[in-house]
Amino acid sequence: LISNASDAVDKLRFEEITNHNLLKSDKENSVTIRMDKENSVLFLEDNGIGMSKEDLMNNLGTIASSGTKKFLEKLSEQDKKDSNLIGQFGVGFYSAFMVAKKIIVESRSAHGDSAYKWTSSGDGSYTIENSSKETRGTLIEIHLKDEEKEFIEDWRIRGIVKKYSDYVTYPIFLLE
Ligand code: ADP
Ligand code: MG
């Protein structure tokens, strides 16, 4: 999910060069992790390119569909080299359900669509409704399974981020 957030920020960085009408953000391009220990909910937020309603349906609701791969195909050879895009298989997001009983994704596309909220319990179905999210980008709420609550601990999160997200070029903030 951190790789996805990093990709989203990277896409924004690219599109910004040619499109000056993208939604602005008052924060630096980054990924922020917060946790609600009492309810075992992890929050992962980015101020990247965001997702439209169609993006939420096509990219999150469908396994093996990678919006990042499609994005990369549209870039020039030089831009491909300059990009830091990570995703391409389209299976990363759904694997969060290994530890989550419910995931809520709220997103506002930088292209100026309304914001939408995608909810699923990982059983192959999902719901989409309007969201009140005002800022650009994506906020993911991961409701941990009872037996996976160790992922709410900061030492566990720090360890994962250090080990697997060391190469991410944008700042990753952990708020306690
Ligand atoms: P991959 O990263 O290999 O493309 P994933 O299953 O991890 O596959 O994600 C599927 C797609 O969902 C991504 O390609 C991207 O289009 C979209 N997506 C996932 N997370 C985000 C996010 N935080 N912001 C914008 N788009 C996202
Ligand atoms: Mg991914």
Side-chain angles (χ1 to χ4, degrees):
L1 297 181
I2 293 173
S3 299
N4 287 348
S6 166
D7 283 350
V9 171
D10 214 38
K11 288 174 195 169
L12 183 105
R13 181 174 68 91
F14 264 101
E15 288 205 9
E16 241 172 11
I17 300 169
T18 51
N19 184 348
H20 301 291
N21 298 320
L22 294 177
L23 264 191
K24 303 275 181 283
S25 170
D26 51 11
K27 285 194 296 182
E28 72 177 297
N29 290 343
S30 57
V31 184
T32 305
I33 303 171
R34 282 183 288 127
M35 48 267 210
D36 170 358
K37 289 199 171 174
E38 210 170 311
N39 298 302
S40 297
V41 183
L42 265 173
F43 297 90
L44 208 134
E45 185 159 25
D46 67 67
N47 55 351
I49 197 74
M51 281 177 276
S52 65
K53 192 178 187 180
E54 287 68 33
D55 292 334
L56 287 166
M57 295 194 288
N58 296 337
N59 297 330
L60 301 186
T62 319
I63 295 180
S65 173
S66 172
T68 299
K69 189 178 177 188
K70 289 182 201 121
F71 186 90
L72 198 64
E73 283 162 1
K74 287 189 291 183
L75 294 184
S76 68
E77 286 311 313
Q78 187 55 46
D79 284 351
K80 273 182 195 157
K81 284 195 200 109
D82 293 340
S83 82
N84 300 304
L85 294 167
I86 303 159
Q88 57 172 313
F89 300 113
V91 290
F93 175 80
Y94 235 78
S95 63
F97 282 109
M98 291 197 287
V99 299
K101 57 183 175 196
K102 181 166 84 175
I103 300 180
I104 301 173
V105 180
E106 289 194 72
S107 197
R108 178 176 285 277
S109 166
H111 296 110
D113 191 10
S114 319
Y116 293 95
K117 178 176 173 178
W118 179 100
T119 306
S120 176
S121 303
D123 52 4
S125 68
Y126 59 85
T127 58
I128 289 197
E129 58 205 294
N130 291 327
S131 155
S132 55
K133 183 176 180 12
E134 288 184 348
T135 51
R136 179 188 84 197
T138 303
L139 171 65
I140 305 186
E141 250 181 64
I142 305 146
H143 294 248
L144 293 171
K145 289 179 181 169
D146 294 340
E147 63 275 23
E148 305 290 356
K149 292 204 167 148
E150 64 175 89
F151 290 101
I152 205 75
E153 303 296 339
D154 12 321
W155 62 268
R156 191 73 171 94
I157 297 170
R158 274 175 202 285
I160 292 171
V161 173
K162 282 217 175 80
K163 188 166 177 192
Y164 297 103
S165 298
D166 199 35
Y167 55 87
V168 168
T169 46
Y170 301 99
I172 302 169
F173 299 111
L174 183 62
L175 304 185
E176 314 196 10

